[in-house]
Amino acid sequence: MGAAGHSLFRALGLAVLLVATGAGAARPYRGGAVATAYPPASEAALQMLDKGGNAVDAAVAAAFVAAVVGPYHSGVGGGGFALVHDAKSGGTQVLDFREVAPKGASRDMYLRDGALVPGLSTDGALSVAVPGAVAGYLELLSRHGKLKPAVVLAPAIRLAKQGFWVTPKYRQMATGRAECLRQDPEAARIFLTPNAQGTPDVPPVGHLIKQPDLARTLERVAKGGAKAFYAGPVAQALVKTVQDAGGLLTQEDLTAYKTRQATPLETTYRGHRILTMPPPSAGGLAVVQVLGMLQQLRPQGLPYRDPESLHLYVEAVRRAYVDRAKYLGDPAFVQVPLERLTSPGHIADLAGGIDPKKATPSASLLAPVTGGPASTLRKDAGPLTPEPEKKNTTHISVIDKDGNAVAMTTTVNYSFGSCLVAKGTGVLLNDQMDDFAAQPGVPNAYGLVTGEPNAIQAGKVPLSSMSPTLVFSKEDPKQVMLAVGSPGGSTIPTTVIQAISNVVDHGMDVARAVGTGRLHHQYLPDELWVDRWGLEPATQSALEAKGHKLRRVDAWGDAEAVYSDPRTHLRYSSSDPRNEGAATGQD
């Protein structure tokens, strides 16, 4: 058995152990520490640290490997967000390398006779936005890294050539998108295998998937930089594949793509400074608002699994998601009242509207404002719970031996993105256009409802739930204590919020903080989602008595976190036991 096979079975064994025990104790590391959703990605990150690289080198190496071994979550045909903290200067920078709408995109492009056509924004060429991952990863390296791109990309290139083993997670995700993958011959050839009838089907566990075309693309990027992806043969193949299938991507779109720098959102929680993503992330605002409300409502802290406190948490989340639906979009295109939405006064108003004795019906928070951003929201937009096997995205957390830190979340949106592979490149393209409001007030693939500020427009960045976040030590507000983030679509912000609360409020070690059962509300559907370890029966009954409608959701985003002890400076990393990831570090 090769190294990839050993990594697979190590990951599966770890997951079984953690699920059986509820969570495992994270081991300490004296050097840097890493957490990712894939053992090969964590190994690549550790290799960069051992070569003298920093947290950025490690995170970028992990991201490129994730693009190879986790095509259902992320890839070079996608995009993402990163927070980068420099321990020496004490500064933290944001890089937004999210995808953007092609120049040919239009507000009603997924409507036919005024009605939204299912699948147009999630499957195939018309769902593809301009990818930003390669530009983002390489900019992170050039601005903050220490190692050369050829060194950082080497593990990904090797895995693309040698192959990776199909895991149970791969099978789960591919099963949910098998029909979509079959629609593209390249995707079917790479990610599926013929069954007894000759039909492309989901490969068995242990099947080796090699991607020589992707290896050649990565080699070009390692030598030629971002230009090798956004111009030349690779770019030509991207454009031709999309346009031949009826999509909008052009060479002009690729040439014009630019990453965006921003100032992180900042708040404090129980004395800890917190930095998170600003819009077009909606997740960062939710983190700021919900933690702010909890601090006001429970200034002395949150008793663990206390029904009264859980009720307040759920109601706080409900209101944060209402603000998301009303106001948020790409700030380069719409006026987002961010200063007001994050102000102590607004957060106090949100908290003050919570009834401590009963749940607030979501519909009562949706009164249209004449001429305002909420006027297009539909009160009857009540989607079903999204199918968990189709969710995607991945997160990488790193803190190196010097205290530099990276929290980076990347995605191709839906599982396996658009299911479209650019012929001859191995590049699986995103379906990020679904994160726009294809029809304002109508839910997207994650059940999220957004309004006119997130309507489709050429060159615009779609709203995102991704919430990479850094929490700092009380004693030193420039020392990162926790780097955390998660996949999971609409559940990303609530996963991050609960992981932070588990560490700060409940004193959990990082393994238990990410492994403990979680709760989620997103305003619509008006349901309280509970994962399989979320609540005891008595607590469920207490919440139902307050009017909450509970729904069990078995699959949940897997948080990835690294904790640095402010006193000992020992580091602990943890990959969520719900998935197949790996946490590691330097002794």
Side-chain angles (χ1 to χ4, degrees), residues 83 92 264-267 273-277 468-472:
L83 264 67
T92 303
L265 286 184
E266 182 167 353
T267 190
R273 178 175 174 241
I274 294 176
L275 298 180
T276 188
M277 280 297 305
T469 300
L470 300 175
V471 180
F472 292 77

Side-chain angles (χ1 to χ4, degrees), residues 144-217:
H144 308 288
K146 295 170 66 177
L147 303 177
K148 294 182 178 179
V151 175
V152 175
L153 270 74
I157 294 169
R158 183 174 62 253
L159 281 162
K161 289 179 178 178
Q162 297 177 358
F164 69 92
W165 304 101
V166 168
T167 69
K169 173 56 66 173
Y170 182 101
R171 278 188 52 80
Q172 177 197 12
M173 304 301 277
T175 298
R177 291 289 268 169
E179 190 55 43
C180 181
L181 290 167
R182 291 187 189 107
Q183 301 307 307
D184 178 53
E186 281 291 280
R189 178 181 65 82
I190 296 169
F191 301 119
L192 303 177
T193 55
N195 59 22
Q197 291 74 39
T199 303
D201 208 347
V202 179
V205 170
H207 176 77
L208 189 65
I209 293 181
K210 296 183 179 181
Q211 301 173 82
D213 290 342
L214 181 57
R216 285 190 290 273
T217 295

Side-chain angles (χ1 to χ4, degrees), residues 50 84 110 169 177 197 292 372 434 498 519 575:
D50 288 341
V84 179
Y110 299 118
K169 173 56 66 173
R177 291 289 268 169
Q197 291 74 39
D434 186 66
Q498 289 169 94
L519 292 80
S575 181

Side-chain angles (χ1 to χ4, degrees), residues 428-499:
L428 178 66
L429 290 158
N430 68 82
D431 63 344
Q432 205 65 67
M433 293 297 291
D434 186 66
D435 267 0
F436 285 110
Q439 187 176 18
V442 175
N444 70 358
Y446 295 100
L448 281 169
V449 175
T450 53
E452 196 63 45
N454 193 39
I456 301 169
Q457 191 172 346
K460 192 175 183 180
V461 180
L463 207 57
S464 172
S465 295
M466 295 186 291
S467 314
T469 300
L470 300 175
V471 180
F472 292 77
S473 163
K474 272 186 180 181
E475 295 75 18
D476 183 353
K478 292 184 178 180
Q479 179 187 349
V480 174
M481 181 183 81
L482 180 70
V484 63
S486 178
S490 58
T491 68
I492 291 173
T494 51
T495 296
V496 170
I497 291 163
Q498 289 169 94

Side-chain angles (χ1 to χ4, degrees), residues 379-400:
K379 291 187 179 183
D380 62 340
L384 297 175
T385 303
E387 300 169 85
E389 71 274 11
K390 294 184 179 179
K391 293 183 179 181
N392 68 35
T393 307
T394 197
H395 181 81
I396 297 161
S397 289
V398 186
I399 302 179
D400 67 24

Side-chain angles (χ1 to χ4, degrees), residues 106-118 120-121 126 246 438-439:
S106 59
R107 183 185 185 280
D108 299 329
M109 62 187 285
Y110 299 118
L111 306 185
R112 301 294 183 267
D113 298 324
L116 185 64
V117 179
L120 280 185
S121 65
L126 205 59
Q439 187 176 18

